[in-house]
Amino acid sequence: MLEIKNLHAVVDGKEILKGIDLTIRDGEIHALMGTNGAGKSTLSNVIVGNPRYEVTEGTMTYNGQDLLSMTPDERAHAGIFMSFQQPVEIPGVSMANFMRAAVNALARSKGVNAPKSSDFLHLMKSRRELVEIDQKLINRSVNEGFSGGEKKRNEIFQMAMLEPSFCILDETDSGLDVDALRIVAEGFNKLRRPETSAIIITHYQRLLDYIRPDVVHVLIDGTIIKTGGPELAGQIENQGFDWLR
Amino acid sequence: MAEIINIKGGEHKLMLLRNHDADMEIFIAAGASLKFYDLVNSPTERSIDSSISVTIHFVGPGSSLIMRGRMTGKNDDVISRQILIDHGVGECKSDIYYKCVLDGRADAVFAGRVFVAKDAQKTESHLLNRNLCLTKAAHMRSEPLLEIYADDVRCSHGSSIGMLDPDALFYLQQRGIPFAEAKRLLVDAFINEIQMPRLCVR
């Protein structure tokens, strides 16, 4: 369970989050909608511990662990994964070495042995097939020369490799065509376990047709101004945000 | 006294593995090719001073030079490279690429100068130096210079000095890779672009 209370955060000296309260129980999918600049990405980045963002007030725990006192890699080991809105290109680091380092670090954190090379390669192959990502992409450096859609698919591939219990999809649907969106969403659904929870940030109903949210929040100007059921997403798609203000 | 080396005919490799001062002057005769490798690996336990001056003269047409430098400095290391490529005759090629990673309070200078004489037509020369400073206390000075008196040449030069990309570091950490390991992956990715021949790797 993720519990956020009265969370305030600043970026470059400007307050972006102005008191967020949010509880997400195991197995729940929460959609987060809102205007550009409302603080949706800031909230995601604060949850995963991006050092660019500074928390000035409030608390944040995941399964009782104090996230604010944990490093980004420790939060990842606790099961939190973020699909980046803008995945970073890392020339010279191969996808295979990157995934190997991530999988081994996760195993170390759990006190189990790192998988054997043959098991690791088998895992790569099966997860690659799940998100229908080309072997050629996996042979390259991390995200280097990937199209926008390929980068998003690669995020879900990494999610499949690491099997997180809490997923943040930060505009994973932007830049995806209809087929790619379906593959990514189906990939997520196949990986989803009963206890998997998620925050899905999106501007569109489309992704939420594949991944049904239990709760929809509207974030405007750093605070959650409305919370409702899945029908709220459709209302926003049709009517925008102005009627909520 | 400078060490003088004459390169005549065929393909040659020269590997510099010394972590100390040296001066070299190399003459490349017509039709010869030289691959020059320059490796500085700072030892962990003490600081080094590696100051090397290399002057390479093309003395006959149709010859070529590939020069690769891979240097890592830390602690109070001092690294200095003064490189002069003298295209005194035409129809020769030179390609110089040095990369340097500096940690701690390391201090390095790369001064590379390509001189193309008035009659050295059809010269091709590319000079590139890229550097990574891991700390604010590390200091790098890069001075690539082209001095061209001929008019039918293809030459380029470039240099960059940067720090590790914080977004890349964070991306790796979000996937569970601890900071120190993430940093090492990025540093290796940077420096491994310069490959030394097997013999050189210690």
Side-chain angles (χ1 to χ4, degrees):
Chain A
M1 183 167 76
L2 180 77
E3 263 193 301
I4 295 172
K5 284 180 186 158
N6 189 33
L7 189 73
H8 292 250
V10 296
V11 187
D12 300 326
K14 188 167 181 275
E15 186 170 54
I16 306 290
L17 298 183
K18 302 169 181 173
I20 299 282
D21 292 291
L22 182 63
T23 299
I24 302 178
R25 289 177 193 83
D26 290 354
E28 285 182 355
I29 307 281
H30 287 223
L32 195 57
M33 304 183 84
T35 49
N36 286 325
K40 304 184 298 293
S41 286
T42 299
L43 179 58
S44 317
N45 276 284
V46 164
I47 294 171
V48 291
N50 189 332
R52 277 184 194 279
Y53 301 78
E54 189 197 344
V55 172
T56 49
E57 208 181 327
T59 60
M60 191 163 62
T61 62
Y62 181 61
N63 295 336
Q65 289 178 280
D66 174 20
L67 287 180
L68 293 177
S69 66
M70 293 159 73
T71 58
D73 52 305
E74 287 168 346
R75 299 184 201 202
H77 297 156
I80 300 175
F81 179 96
M82 178 166 84
S83 168
F84 283 61
Q85 192 177 339
Q86 281 158 335
V88 185
E89 296 194 18
I90 311 181
V93 177
S94 73
M95 274 305 296
N97 281 348
F98 168 44
M99 281 294 97
R100 183 87 223 189
V103 165
N104 287 0
L106 182 62
R108 268 201 310 277
S109 78
K110 288 178 175 165
V112 300
N113 288 330
K116 287 185 298 185
S117 285
S118 55
D119 292 342
F120 174 76
L121 290 174
H122 181 75
L123 182 71
M124 288 272 283
K125 183 170 183 291
S126 68
R127 296 304 146 99
R128 187 165 61 69
E129 287 166 357
L130 192 75
V131 292
E132 299 181 34
I133 192 165
D134 202 302
Q135 173 69 43
K136 273 182 267 174
L137 293 181
I138 301 300
N139 290 342
R140 286 199 214 155
S141 290
V142 178
N143 291 321
E144 195 183 30
F146 286 36
S147 71
E150 286 166 345
K151 283 181 184 168
K152 295 303 176 79
R153 216 182 277 202
N154 190 24
E155 295 292 287
I156 303 300
F157 166 70
Q158 293 167 46
M159 179 186 290
M161 289 294 293
L162 299 169
E163 301 182 340
S165 53
F166 193 98
C167 306
I168 301 169
L169 306 189
D170 189 356
E171 293 194 20
T172 301
D173 51 350
S174 63
L176 288 182
D177 60 39
V178 181
D179 290 331
L181 178 76
R182 181 183 48 76
I183 292 163
V184 161
E186 283 175 357
F188 175 84
N189 284 332
K190 278 182 230 168
L191 292 162
R192 193 176 157 188
R193 298 182 303 269
E195 68 276 18
T196 306
S197 42
I199 292 177
I200 296 175
I201 296 173
T202 181
H203 288 291
Y204 310 104
Q205 174 68 40
R206 232 173 33 171
L207 179 60
L208 303 178
D209 289 338
Y210 289 105
I211 308 172
R212 290 291 290 171
D214 301 292
V215 183
V216 175
H217 304 280
V218 179
L219 185 69
I220 304 274
D221 193 26
T223 52
I224 291 174
I225 60 159
K226 189 166 179 66
T227 294
E231 71 288 347
L232 184 56
Q235 272 176 289
I236 288 165
E237 175 126 323
N238 291 327
Q239 302 172 40
F241 294 105
D242 283 345
W243 64 283
L244 291 164
R245 290 184 212 242
Chain B
M1 272 292 285
E3 191 175 338
I4 292 176
I5 299 168
N6 286 298
I7 304 291
K8 285 177 186 165
E11 293 179 11
H12 299 263
K13 273 184 191 171
L14 202 63
M15 301 168 205
L16 215 54
L17 294 165
R18 292 178 294 195
N19 283 339
H20 55 75
D21 294 2
D23 282 334
M24 305 178 80
E25 202 163 357
I26 300 170
F27 295 84
I28 306 179
S33 77
L34 172 65
K35 287 181 177 165
F36 183 103
Y37 298 97
D38 185 354
L39 178 70
V40 175
N41 264 343
S42 172
T44 44
E45 68 278 10
R46 60 188 167 83
S47 293
I48 56 161
D49 185 341
S50 170
S51 297
I52 292 176
S53 152
V54 184
T55 301
I56 297 179
H57 305 276
F58 286 99
V59 292
S63 47
S64 70
L65 165 72
I66 290 176
M67 207 170 179
R68 292 290 178 266
R70 175 183 166 124
M71 19 209 63
T72 53
K74 45 185 169 295
N75 304 326
D76 290 297
D77 291 346
V78 175
I79 301 170
S80 167
R81 289 295 178 275
Q82 308 282 335
I83 293 164
L84 169 62
I85 311 297
D86 169 23
H87 281 274
V89 298
E91 293 168 47
C92 294
K93 286 182 183 176
S94 60
D95 176 358
I96 303 104
Y97 191 6
Y98 268 69
K99 273 191 152 183
C100 183
V101 178
L102 297 179
D103 204 344
R105 296 163 303 277
D107 192 320
V109 175
F110 175 87
R113 179 169 157 232
V114 173
F115 174 88
V116 182
K118 194 166 178 291
D119 298 328
Q121 304 295 358
K122 308 284 180 199
T123 290
E124 185 173 344
S125 179
H126 303 285
L127 172 66
L128 188 58
N129 172 226
R130 292 192 190 283
N131 310 286
L132 189 59
C133 289
L134 300 178
T135 62
K136 287 213 162 74
H139 187 254
M140 178 76 213
R141 201 164 84 229
S142 177
E143 297 168 354
L145 195 70
L146 290 180
E147 199 177 333
I148 301 170
Y149 296 97
D151 52 19
D152 182 15
V153 299
R154 286 181 58 195
C155 293
S156 67
H157 67 324
S159 112
S160 67
I161 303 172
M163 300 189 78
L164 281 179
D165 175 7
D167 291 332
L169 260 178
F170 177 69
Y171 189 76
L172 296 173
Q173 288 179 88
Q174 207 301 304
R175 300 312 187 229
I177 301 170
F179 179 80
E181 194 181 345
K183 189 170 149 184
R184 188 177 53 72
L185 275 173
L186 295 179
V187 169
D188 286 352
F190 176 83
I191 200 74
N192 282 342
E193 196 194 340
I194 304 288
Q195 289 292 330
M196 294 282 121
R198 271 195 102 73
L199 197 72
C200 275
V201 178
R202 294 184 283 189

